[in-house]
Amino acid sequence: QVKIVESGGGSVEAGGSLRLTCQASGFYSNRVCLGWFRQVPGKEREGIATTATADVAYADSVRGRFIISRDTAKNMVFLQMNNLQPEDSAMYYCAAKEFCASAVFYGYPYWGRGTQVTVSS
């Protein structure tokens, strides 16, 4: 059974930083993509950063400010968020999919419950 747990959200002032952590477990495959998504109430969920074993992808809205990294052996993924802005405020979700070779923003069947990030101006 796949389990995904996020941590590290919180409140920060504009220009500050936060680091999110995701622990995933229960996979059959060792080719697992892990990604970060965010959602604001009333808006569509946005994929912001994903990683395959040797590939990463970023949304334009976060490229250059956010850095995704992973510990493949532990199935953990991290999101270092720098220069946070009020528009980054959202619920952040970690997601995973198996048998995955490329970092993409679609087709993730497994999701965590999310961690809230709030950025004040």
Side-chain angles (χ1 to χ4, degrees):
Q1 180 178 357
V2 174
K3 183 178 181 181
I4 296 176
V5 180
E6 307 98 333
S7 61
S11 298
V12 65
E13 293 186 351
S17 298
L18 284 172
R19 186 177 190 239
L20 304 183
T21 297
C22 172
Q23 173 70 68
S25 61
F27 302 110
Y28 288 103
S29 171
N30 61 3
R31 292 191 299 142
V32 177
C33 287
L34 298 168
W36 289 100
F37 297 74
R38 66 186 181 188
Q39 189 168 25
V40 176
K43 294 189 177 181
E44 290 189 1
R45 186 171 57 204
E46 176 189 18
I48 56 174
T50 67
T51 172
T53 303
D55 186 25
V56 297
Y58 293 99
D60 290 342
S61 58
V62 305
R63 186 177 291 112
R65 299 187 299 125
F66 291 11
I67 300 171
I68 189 170
S69 60
R70 68 187 288 165
D71 183 331
T72 299
K74 297 180 179 179
N75 274 328
M76 295 182 72
V77 64
F78 310 95
L79 187 68
Q80 177 65 43
M81 305 186 294
N82 301 319
N83 191 23
L84 283 160
Q85 300 300 315
E87 54 266 33
D88 294 315
S89 297
M91 184 69 78
Y92 282 70
Y93 297 92
C94 179
K97 67 174 182 175
E98 298 182 88
F99 311 105
C100 177
S102 299
V104 295
F105 289 114
Y106 58 85
Y108 287 78
Y110 306 113
W111 294 83
R113 293 190 174 188
T115 185
Q116 179 68 40
V117 171
T118 302
V119 185
S120 58
S121 57

